[in-house]
Amino acid sequence: YPVFGLCGEIGEVAQVVTNKLSQTIDLSHECGDVLWYVAAICSDLGVDMGGVAGYETFEQFGYSTKLTEYVDIDDVMIELFIAAGIVSEATKKTIRDSNGVVTTERLKVIRVALRRIMIALAEICRRYEIIFSHVAQGNLDKLAARAVKGTISGSGSNR
């Protein structure tokens, strides 16, 4: 489930970016949703999200990563799609070939792809002047508010 959600949310990030919407709050929320799915996948795999990122805090990660080899935002979006495809393909092979048991090799592939996603998100935030740690905190705050209201499940405005 989280892999499907990850792919869908990356599509929503692309929709905001390609429509060149100036509403950074929409982009911030969509990036936060992608981070949530990255965290869910890490949780399902029993791996630490900080270990995947290579840093202990989002502040460290957001300020120390920069995709300098990418010329424009389209290149960053392509990186997001490629990395999501790698996670999806590894998940498919896990289901098909090993009855849902993630092999050590597949875990390595997934971890690297999740790191690539996080780096691309940090780069998107940098380019749109969004503070990466605020994206993560905003998503945590949104989920906490839903939990208090008892509306953590459901979809859209039906939560």
Side-chain angles (χ1 to χ4, degrees):
Y1 170 80
V3 173
F4 294 138
L6 175 73
C7 293
E9 292 300 336
I10 286 174
E12 291 183 18
V13 168
Q15 184 178 20
V16 173
V17 168
T18 58
N19 287 334
K20 300 185 179 16
L21 299 177
S22 61
Q23 299 169 353
T24 56
I25 193 158
D26 290 337
L27 184 56
S28 180
H29 287 149
E30 297 305 338
C31 287
D33 291 345
V34 171
L35 278 178
W36 186 90
Y37 282 106
V38 168
I41 292 167
C42 288
S43 177
D44 285 352
L45 295 173
V47 297
D48 177 63
M49 192 173 176
V52 169
Y55 295 91
E56 291 185 24
T57 68
F58 283 104
E59 288 86 0
Q60 291 172 325
F61 188 82
Y63 292 127
S64 63
T65 57
K66 185 176 177 185
L67 299 177
T68 55
E69 64 269 20
Y70 295 110
V71 175
D72 59 33
I73 196 67
D74 292 339
D75 291 335
V76 180
M77 293 309 305
I78 289 168
E79 175 68 10
L80 264 181
F81 289 125
I82 290 169
I86 291 168
V87 173
S88 182
E89 182 70 9
T91 301
K92 176 195 80 174
K93 289 180 179 178
T94 296
I95 294 166
R96 181 191 68 197
D97 299 340
S98 55
N99 292 328
V101 176
V102 181
T103 65
T104 303
E105 281 305 309
R106 283 204 190 100
L107 182 59
K108 287 179 189 175
V109 168
I110 293 170
R111 285 176 60 113
V112 168
L114 292 175
R115 179 170 168 69
R116 288 172 65 180
I117 288 167
M118 291 175 70
I119 290 170
L121 285 178
E123 179 66 5
I124 290 167
C125 289
R126 186 188 69 77
R127 288 173 185 242
Y128 286 89
E129 298 179 351
I130 299 168
I131 299 171
F132 190 61
S133 61
H134 291 183
V135 170
Q137 188 60 54
N139 202 46
L140 290 173
D141 293 346
K142 175 178 72 174
L143 292 171
R146 287 181 185 166
V148 167
K149 291 190 298 186
T151 56
I152 197 104
S153 62
S155 65
S157 56
N158 294 325
R159 283 183 257 220

